[in-house]
Amino acid sequence: MEYKTKGGKLYIKKQKSGSVGRRLFTFVAAGAVLVYCAYSISSDKKDVAEKQAVLRALEEEKEALTAENASYASILNEDDERAYMERIAIELYGYAYPSERRFYDTTRS
């Protein structure tokens, strides 16, 4: 600070704080921080959206596995395994009784 007198009164003249280069550096640094923050926020939003999509897929898979598990539990609780074995033979292996005829639609691909 610099003290000056003018007409018998004391005035304090403030010195300029910092140079133009210092102000420019501060402005550029603040701008860089803002750009980084904006990029970081958008990147985080993208990551959250991807994680939510993965979560939805896992929840759907969980529901399918829960239904399959319930099916297996009901099979295990059955007293008669014959019905289960018959269903597996027909559905998975394409077996049929000797007197049974099966027709397949070959027009669809």
Side-chain angles (χ1 to χ4, degrees):
M1 284 192 268
E2 190 176 321
Y3 300 102
K4 291 195 174 192
T5 58
K6 189 175 190 181
K9 293 184 179 179
L10 183 63
Y11 291 99
I12 300 174
K13 183 178 178 185
K14 291 185 179 180
Q15 294 177 350
K16 291 184 179 180
S17 60
S19 64
V20 174
R22 189 174 186 182
R23 288 184 194 160
L24 180 62
F25 175 75
T26 304
F27 180 74
V28 170
V33 168
L34 287 175
V35 168
Y36 172 76
C37 289
Y39 172 76
S40 178
I41 289 171
S42 66
S43 173
D44 288 345
K45 283 184 179 181
K46 179 184 168 195
D47 290 345
V48 167
E50 289 174 357
K51 301 285 184 193
Q52 285 177 342
V54 169
L55 178 63
R56 274 187 244 110
L58 288 174
E59 286 174 346
E60 290 173 4
E61 184 179 354
K62 175 189 164 197
E63 289 175 8
L65 289 174
T66 302
E68 185 179 358
N69 190 27
S71 169
Y72 289 145
S74 70
I75 291 169
L76 289 174
N77 291 335
E78 288 181 9
D79 292 333
D80 185 22
E81 289 184 19
R82 181 176 173 83
Y84 171 70
M85 294 295 194
E86 184 178 322
R87 184 173 59 88
I88 295 298
I90 292 171
E91 290 177 4
L92 294 180
Y93 300 113
Y95 289 174
Y97 288 107
S99 61
E100 183 179 19
R101 289 192 181 185
R102 293 189 177 242
F103 298 97
Y104 298 100
D105 186 7
T106 59
T107 59
R108 290 191 281 169
S109 49

